[in-house]
Amino acid sequence: MKSHFSLILLSTLQCNADCEYCFENKTDDRLTIDRLGEMIRKVLDYMVEKSLVSLTIYWQGGEAMLLPPSWYEQAQELIQREAEARGKQVFHSLQSNMLAYSARWNPVIARMFGNSVGTSLDYPNRYRKLLGQTPDSYNEIWGRRVREARAAGIEVQVIAVPNQATLDLGADRFYAHFVDELGITDFQVNTPFPGGESNIAKQQLPVAEVEKLSRFYLDLAEVWLERGHNRGVRVGPFDALLRQFSHEPATLPCIWGENCVNALVSIDPRGQVAQCDCWVTSYPDYHYGNIFECDNFGELLKTSPARQQFNQRPVHLIQRDCLNCDYLALCHGGCPVRTYTVYGSLFEKDPYCELYKILFGRIERAARNLAQAGVQRRAA
Ligand code: SF4
Ligand code: SF4
Ligand code: SF4
């Protein structure tokens, strides 16, 4: 949607977890309501200039729940007031590790976030943990909080990042854990990338094992097509791809967007602006500027040399690596942050190119088969 804009807003850079593969440089910075007001007025004024109709704010951290529910209530009121004054619509989405969740969050989650929360868990969990503790205690607290939230009627969507142990275990077991054991019917599998300062955990991520990772994705797609697709289980990115290849409205992940620069931006509590959460927390050289130090947000974006580099990426790729690709119109060369963290340059195609091609081919075939089966059913 060209008239829509997304903002990944990091309300704090503090976190109550200590995940080994985390790409964020965590600090004690927290956004105040006053500064939120200044920030949001500038973003909304930019939307007026650009005739953008609606905005989705993805609230993240650090850990977003380290600010209290009352803070978000105030934030929602303020944003609503400023948006209405400019005739704009704002939607809110919450991403949390759920460790600090309790029933006192329920009213604000219902009112502000459509009774839905996004969270993360890997299986097996090797890297997500609390400071000085094991991944098992993280799993235990996370599991308890997620059960409580779901018992309160909150929809919980999960993002999982495969690690070596996930690939060894296989797609069948992975799917069974989320769907059959945890009862999660909406989850997304993200490809890993070694963002931020290097460490052993990041070096162990299966980034270079595209073949093995592709096998896992293909197997998971088969399991989902067989056991989940017709039973209301949503597994990203397969479900969105299936809709896309079936010519139905689909929201594909940002990694396959035309150019993520045109669709979203991220701001941290210090006002630093960058492409998305990893860039804003870990790569100061790629900051677009500071929203509190500018008079006009549109000018900041337009004149940022870092942002110009992002803008040039698709053209470079179309002229070179991706020119003859059958899926260019769908993939656009993939994700800049995955590319940069693997190759140290923006001007290469996504390191998961081969995985994407295999996956696109498989889901395209599934869409064709489903369409044919539909025709045969109707003719019978
Ligand atoms: S990955 Fe998320 S939950 Fe884990 S330490 Fe980093 S910010 Fe916190
Ligand atoms: S850099 Fe990648 S993850 Fe970040 S917004 Fe762009 S496509 Fe999305
Ligand atoms: S699948 Fe590969 S070659 Fe095709 S557009 Fe994506 S990155 Fe480029």
Side-chain angles (χ1 to χ4, degrees):
M1 231 192 314
K2 284 266 187 301
S3 59
H4 186 81
F5 191 59
S6 296
L7 168 63
I8 300 174
L9 182 42
L10 312 186
S11 51
T12 175
L13 292 177
Q14 279 183 320
C15 191
N16 48 4
D18 186 32
C19 308
E20 286 176 54
Y21 61 17
C22 181
F23 52 62
E24 297 198 359
N25 283 332
K26 290 175 278 296
T27 69
D28 290 341
D29 290 288
R30 287 170 164 225
L31 190 58
T32 61
I33 288 290
D34 279 352
R35 291 198 118 194
L36 172 68
E38 183 182 342
M39 178 191 292
I40 221 67
R41 280 188 284 276
K42 286 179 179 171
V43 172
L44 288 166
D45 286 344
Y46 166 72
M47 289 177 63
V48 171
E49 275 167 39
K50 293 278 168 195
S51 304
L52 297 163
V53 176
S54 54
L55 170 74
T56 300
I57 303 181
Y58 294 91
W59 295 89
Q60 301 185 11
E63 168 46 39
M65 282 193 188
L66 291 184
L67 270 71
S70 56
W71 189 91
Y72 287 93
E73 276 160 6
Q74 276 180 282
Q76 186 190 17
E77 245 173 65
L78 180 154
I79 294 168
Q80 185 65 17
R81 212 172 40 239
E82 297 291 348
E84 271 173 17
R86 292 164 180 82
K88 302 294 168 198
Q89 249 192 318
V90 181
F91 306 97
H92 301 276
S93 168
L94 178 63
Q95 183 72 27
S96 161
N97 63 26
M98 294 299 277
L99 301 177
Y101 166 79
S102 69
R104 72 193 186 114
W105 281 92
N106 293 351
V108 77
I109 290 177
R111 265 200 310 275
M112 185 169 175
F113 300 108
N115 227 15
S116 162
V117 183
T119 184
S120 303
L121 191 76
D122 308 334
Y123 184 68
N125 178 14
R126 288 286 183 264
Y127 305 116
R128 301 191 74 84
K129 56 189 188 59
L130 287 98
L131 188 61
Q133 297 194 26
T134 64
D136 285 346
S137 62
Y138 186 103
N139 293 351
E140 202 267 316
I141 300 172
W142 184 91
R144 203 168 345 124
R145 300 289 181 251
V146 167
R147 276 194 301 278
E148 288 162 3
R150 294 177 70 211
I154 296 170
E155 243 183 82
V156 180
Q157 289 127 20
V158 179
I159 292 175
V161 179
N163 54 44
Q164 281 294 351
T166 313
L167 305 189
D168 294 341
L169 206 65
D172 203 284
R173 192 66 202 87
F174 178 84
Y175 183 91
H177 179 70
F178 280 97
V179 180
D180 306 333
E181 290 162 19
L182 298 178
I184 304 280
T185 53
D186 189 349
F187 65 99
Q188 175 181 320
V189 189
N190 282 1
T191 48
F193 62 92
E197 232 170 82
S198 181
N199 64 19
I200 291 174
K202 291 175 197 177
Q203 286 158 18
Q204 286 171 346
L205 292 172
V207 179
E209 299 187 47
V210 177
E211 214 175 296
K212 210 169 160 189
L213 204 59
S214 304
R215 185 73 259 153
F216 174 80
Y217 265 75
L218 271 189
D219 290 348
L220 189 61
E222 298 302 338
V223 176
W224 173 70
L225 285 165
E226 204 181 296
R227 308 213 304 248
H229 159 244
N230 274 331
R231 298 197 180 96
V233 179
R234 283 187 291 185
V235 180
F238 312 130
D239 53 348
L241 281 175
L242 191 62
R243 294 180 72 83
Q244 174 81 16
F245 283 119
S246 304
H247 310 290
E248 291 169 21
T251 307
L252 292 171
C254 59
I255 55 170
W256 297 321
E258 209 175 303
N259 185 355
C260 58
V261 165
N262 299 326
L264 76 136
V265 76
S266 180
I267 309 181
D268 80 4
R270 301 163 297 193
Q272 300 293 0
V273 181
Q275 188 46 41
C276 62
D277 42 347
C278 184
W279 294 104
V280 84
T281 54
S282 297
Y283 297 105
D285 288 350
Y286 286 87
H287 285 175
Y288 297 165
N290 190 303
I291 194 163
F292 298 128
E293 290 163 15
C294 78
D295 294 327
N296 182 299
F297 187 51
E299 274 303 300
L300 179 152
L301 295 179
K302 202 167 86 189
T303 55
S304 153
R307 192 163 179 271
Q308 277 157 17
Q309 287 192 54
F310 279 83
N311 259 326
Q312 287 156 6
R313 181 173 184 266
V315 178
H316 274 259
L317 296 182
I318 290 165
Q319 286 170 350
R320 228 183 42 198
D321 306 357
C322 304
L323 179 63
N324 296 316
C325 175
D326 291 342
Y327 297 109
L328 176 59
L330 172 66
C331 168
H332 306 99
C335 163
V337 84
R338 281 166 175 75
T339 303
Y340 185 79
T341 56
V342 171
Y343 301 125
S345 160
L346 285 175
F347 300 110
E348 300 286 337
K349 62 181 177 175
D350 190 307
Y352 291 114
C353 166
E354 292 307 317
L355 185 161
Y356 299 162
K357 281 187 193 162
I358 293 170
L359 186 61
F360 295 153
R362 177 63 190 97
I363 303 290
E364 190 175 24
R365 185 155 54 85
R368 224 174 17 242
N369 292 344
L370 284 168
Q372 272 164 7
V375 170
Q376 279 162 5
R377 247 197 331 272
R378 280 193 295 278

